[in-house]
């Protein structure tokens, strides 16, 4: 399968230009190849949808010609278990990108980073268990996997088990159902280092906790290293057995905070360098300032930006960036006014604002006017008369007429509905 993937990558270079290849094709991995169906992994939903919409046919074509028969390709967001070609010292069941080298440190995460490093150098001795907690998207999984990769490199033949808690819960349930408890327990028996990600998922599930408690104790007694991540400080995880909570605090508990501005800039630069692109400083500054609570979101925004520029070949500038990233930007303080609605609507219909304030009856103008009035009613607190005034002194029955007309047409006409939605989307940026 890896061979097939390598051949595919080789061939793809003839079909995609190099930036498309770097950004979209190479980061994928092959998950399975069964019965004329190939399953590929992608890092996130956006990536998957993008591939499906833009490259799927070409990808299927390449595979079909390599295998000399028609094959179907399914793109998924499951994690790839296959080693990426060329990277030899990485643990095969961990995400290859999640290494210490790719982890940018700053005041927000350096304690967690240092503790993770210490664990690698002092397995089972110093900080056991190590518990890392933070909000989502701040690097817990990255760090716990980095420990896995580093241990894999450092200690030959060591038995590493990475286990997301959801998987622990699911496997445990099916073990009971299919009477495979022995098999389940066997998996944990000879583990040298257990990496349990997102432990909060075993909260509220008693039998699971009981089982994990036993596993924990067995490993701990044998001085095997345990690393746990959680979305909360142990004391704040609800519905978890006190004995377990207590054990979580035996070792070292460290947190990761949202990154500071400088760290965010460094992370953005490292991600763009990874893709061999450079962004103007003002764009980096813009992203780092506006998307600041979640690194995953920051990455999502970057992916979208790079995709856009690679596909359209347009040079990115600040305004374009704002447009592309509109959905990613905070909207709390954004007030929608009649004026911004008029502007968005006129831009969309390529009219002058004076047109929709006029009495002109040209079809395009009256449709735009109806829509702008409808949106003014929807998004502002103004009365019908106040809205009428802002449209060149229309009376309130005219305003009601517009609102009814648009509401009705939205129900009946899908493309009209899309057009109104498009303007609503524009409003976020006006
Ligand atoms: P969590 O498990 O806390 O929800 P992840 O570990 O999945 O968060 O991180 C989300 C994304 O952000 C990942 O793609 C990860 O590589 C990236 N990331 C998080 N922290 C850093 C960092 N310090 N340096 C570089 N990338 C990071
Ligand atoms: Mg995680």
């Amino acid at each position: 399968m890896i061979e097939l993937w390598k051949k595919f990558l080789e061939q793809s270079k003839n079909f995609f230009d190099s930036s498309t290849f770097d950004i979209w094709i190479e980061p994928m991995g092959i998950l399975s190849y069964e019965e004329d169906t190939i399953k590929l992994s992608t890092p996130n939903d956006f990536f998957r949808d993008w591939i499906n919409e833009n490259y799927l046919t070409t990808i299927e074509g390449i595979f079909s010609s390599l295998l000399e028969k028609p094959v179907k390709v399914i793109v998924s967001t499951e994690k790839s278990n296959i080693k990426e070609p060329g990277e030899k010292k990485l643990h095969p069941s961990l995400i290859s990108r999640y290494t210490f080298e790719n982890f940018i440190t700053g005041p927000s995460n350096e304690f967690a980073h240092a503790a993770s490093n210490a664990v690698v150098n002092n397995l089972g001795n110093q900080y056991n268990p190590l518990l890392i907690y933070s909000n989502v998207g701040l690097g817990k999984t990255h760090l716990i996997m980095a420990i896995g990769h580093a241990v894999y490199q450092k200690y030959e033949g060591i038995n590493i088990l990475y286990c997301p808690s959801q998987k622990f819960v699911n496997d445990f349930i099916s073990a009971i159902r299919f009477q495979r408890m022995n098999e389940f327990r066997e998996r944990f028996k000879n583990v040298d280092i257990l990496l349990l990600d997102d432990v909060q998922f075993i909260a509220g599930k008693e039998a699971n906790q009981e089982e994990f408690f036993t596993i924990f104790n067995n490993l701990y007694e044998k001085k095997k290293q345990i690393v746990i991540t959680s979305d909360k400080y142990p004391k704040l995880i609800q519905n978890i057995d006190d004995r377990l909570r207590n054990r979580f605090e035996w070792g070292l508990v460290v947190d990761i905070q949202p990154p500071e501005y400088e760290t965010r800039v460094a992370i953005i630069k490292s991600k763009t360098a990874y893709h061999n692109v450079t962004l103007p400083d003002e764009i980096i500054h813009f992203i780092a300032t506006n998307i600041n609570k979640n690194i995953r979101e920051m990455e999502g925004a970057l992916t979208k930006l790079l995709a856009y520029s690679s596909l359209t070949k347009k040079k990115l500038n600040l305004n374009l960036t704002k447009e592309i990233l509109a959905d990613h930007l905070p909207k709390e303080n954004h007030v929608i006014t009649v004026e911004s609605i008029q502007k968005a609507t006129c831009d969309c219909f390529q009219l002058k604002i004076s047109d929709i304030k006029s009495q002109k009856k040209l079809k395009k103008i009256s449709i735009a006017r109806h829509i702008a009035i409808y949106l003014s009613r929807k998004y502002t607190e103004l009365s019908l008369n106040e809205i009428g005034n802002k449209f060149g002194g229309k009376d309130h029955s005219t305003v009601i007429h517009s609102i009814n007309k648009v509401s009705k047409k939205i129900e009946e006409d899908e493309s009209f509905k899309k057009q109104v939605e498009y303007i609503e989307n524009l409003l976020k940026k006006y």
Side-chain angles (χ1 to χ4, degrees):
M1 208 160 58
I2 292 191
E3 277 311 308
L4 175 63
W5 181 243
K6 277 188 192 162
K7 276 190 199 150
F8 169 79
L9 288 179
E10 224 15 76
Q11 272 299 315
S12 301
K13 291 182 184 159
N14 302 326
F15 288 85
F16 301 105
D17 67 43
S18 72
S19 63
T20 307
F21 180 83
D22 287 347
I23 296 173
W24 296 107
I25 305 301
E26 218 202 348
M28 291 194 289
I30 188 163
L31 289 166
S32 61
Y33 168 35
E34 279 156 18
E35 293 178 5
D36 301 343
T37 302
I38 290 170
K39 205 165 168 191
L40 301 180
S41 69
T42 53
N44 53 45
D45 292 355
F46 172 73
F47 202 112
R48 177 198 56 205
D49 296 346
W50 195 270
I51 298 279
N52 274 330
E53 278 168 32
N54 297 287
Y55 306 131
L56 194 65
T57 324
T58 315
I59 293 173
E60 281 182 338
I62 299 173
F63 273 118
S64 303
S65 79
L66 281 173
L67 295 163
E68 295 175 342
K69 61 179 180 182
V71 287
K72 193 173 151 46
V73 171
I74 296 174
V75 187
S76 113
T77 50
E78 273 170 49
K79 305 255 149 86
S80 167
N81 285 342
I82 310 287
K83 251 190 253 188
E84 296 200 350
E87 293 184 290
K88 297 205 173 46
K89 283 215 231 65
L90 296 173
H91 190 285
S93 51
L94 301 174
I95 296 173
S96 57
R97 196 164 58 77
Y98 288 4
T99 59
F100 279 124
E101 291 75 28
N102 291 335
F103 191 83
I104 307 288
T105 55
S108 54
N109 59 24
E110 64 194 358
F111 187 30
H113 176 259
S116 304
N117 259 310
V119 158
V120 173
N121 294 320
N122 251 308
L123 275 189
N125 277 324
Q126 206 173 1
Y127 304 124
N128 205 15
L130 171 66
L131 187 141
I132 305 169
Y133 74 95
S134 80
N135 284 338
V136 298
L138 293 180
K140 295 182 295 293
T141 300
H142 189 139
L143 213 43
I144 201 172
M145 288 198 175
I147 295 176
H149 285 306
V151 165
Y152 185 69
Q153 278 171 34
K154 194 171 162 92
Y155 308 92
E156 182 128 5
I158 190 165
N159 192 352
I160 302 166
L161 182 64
Y162 169 79
C163 184
S165 295
Q166 298 99 311
K167 182 164 164 39
F168 184 89
V169 170
N170 292 342
D171 289 0
F172 179 74
I173 293 170
S174 50
I176 295 181
R177 206 162 133 218
F178 301 109
Q179 292 165 4
R180 293 214 186 108
M181 228 26 231
N182 283 344
E183 230 171 275
F184 179 83
R185 292 190 172 131
E186 196 61 33
R187 229 189 296 164
F188 293 90
K189 215 161 138 191
N190 298 315
V191 163
D192 297 307
I193 167 166
L194 174 64
L195 307 170
L196 189 77
D197 205 0
D198 287 322
V199 74
Q200 71 274 5
F201 286 109
I202 64 168
K205 306 184 177 76
E206 261 166 55
N208 271 281
Q209 292 188 42
E210 190 64 39
E211 186 64 29
F212 182 63
F213 186 68
T214 315
I215 293 171
F216 185 102
N217 289 339
N218 286 339
L219 294 175
Y220 189 85
E221 269 163 33
K222 291 193 281 181
K223 287 193 161 241
K224 303 299 186 187
Q225 179 70 46
I226 300 160
V227 184
I228 299 168
T229 72
S230 156
D231 68 348
K232 287 182 201 70
Y233 187 69
K235 281 218 169 50
L236 299 177
I237 310 175
Q238 306 218 320
N239 298 321
I240 198 151
D241 190 333
D242 277 337
R243 293 178 308 169
L244 209 48
R245 193 198 311 274
N246 194 344
R247 273 174 179 59
F248 291 166
E249 294 175 9
W250 275 359
L252 179 65
V253 178
V254 292
D255 70 335
I256 305 179
Q257 291 295 323
E260 304 70 27
Y261 174 78
E262 290 75 16
T263 315
R264 297 200 294 274
V265 169
I267 291 173
I268 296 170
K269 287 190 169 161
S270 99
K271 310 262 172 215
T272 48
Y274 185 86
H275 292 301
N276 272 327
V277 271
T278 35
L279 286 180
D281 281 347
E282 59 168 2
I283 293 183
I284 296 180
H285 170 75
F286 178 80
I287 300 173
T289 314
N290 287 288
I291 307 176
N292 48 19
K293 297 203 176 54
N294 180 326
I295 299 174
R296 187 174 299 135
E297 249 179 64
M298 219 163 70
E299 281 182 347
L302 264 178
T303 309
K304 196 163 174 184
L305 208 57
L306 300 184
Y308 186 91
S309 79
S310 115
L311 289 171
T312 61
K313 309 269 186 278
K314 273 195 198 159
K315 207 167 157 42
L316 289 170
N317 60 34
L318 196 55
N319 279 334
L320 190 54
T321 302
K322 286 181 187 166
E323 231 169 82
I324 300 169
L325 298 186
D327 294 343
H328 296 260
L329 302 174
K331 296 171 199 93
E332 294 112 52
N333 302 324
H334 189 65
V335 183
I336 296 177
T337 62
V338 173
E339 287 71 24
S340 63
I341 291 170
Q342 289 174 334
K343 181 154 186 349
T345 314
C346 288
D347 282 1
C348 181
F349 284 90
Q350 293 172 321
L351 294 170
K352 291 199 284 298
I353 294 199
S354 57
D355 288 336
I356 53 170
K357 289 186 177 176
S358 72
Q359 308 291 337
K360 289 182 197 162
K361 294 263 185 292
L362 209 74
K363 192 156 183 229
K364 183 164 143 184
I365 296 177
S366 38
I367 290 178
R369 188 183 299 128
H370 291 320
I371 292 177
I373 290 176
Y374 164 88
L375 292 175
S376 299
R377 183 61 175 171
K378 184 166 172 187
Y379 286 103
T380 74
E381 302 290 324
L382 299 188
S383 70
L384 297 172
N385 276 325
E386 285 167 324
I387 293 175
N389 281 336
K390 299 221 174 216
F391 284 84
K394 310 270 180 310
D395 63 20
H396 97 281
S397 66
T398 311
V399 174
I400 293 182
H401 172 72
S402 295
I403 297 169
N404 289 343
K405 205 167 169 103
V406 174
S407 313
K408 190 150 168 276
K409 205 160 157 67
I410 284 179
E411 300 248 356
E412 293 166 353
D413 180 346
E414 188 63 25
S415 81
F416 180 79
K417 183 176 159 199
K418 285 233 156 60
Q419 192 166 21
V420 175
E421 281 171 359
Y422 178 79
I423 300 172
E424 291 183 280
N425 246 325
L426 282 182
L427 291 177
K428 294 173 191 159
K429 290 175 274 176
Y430 277 70

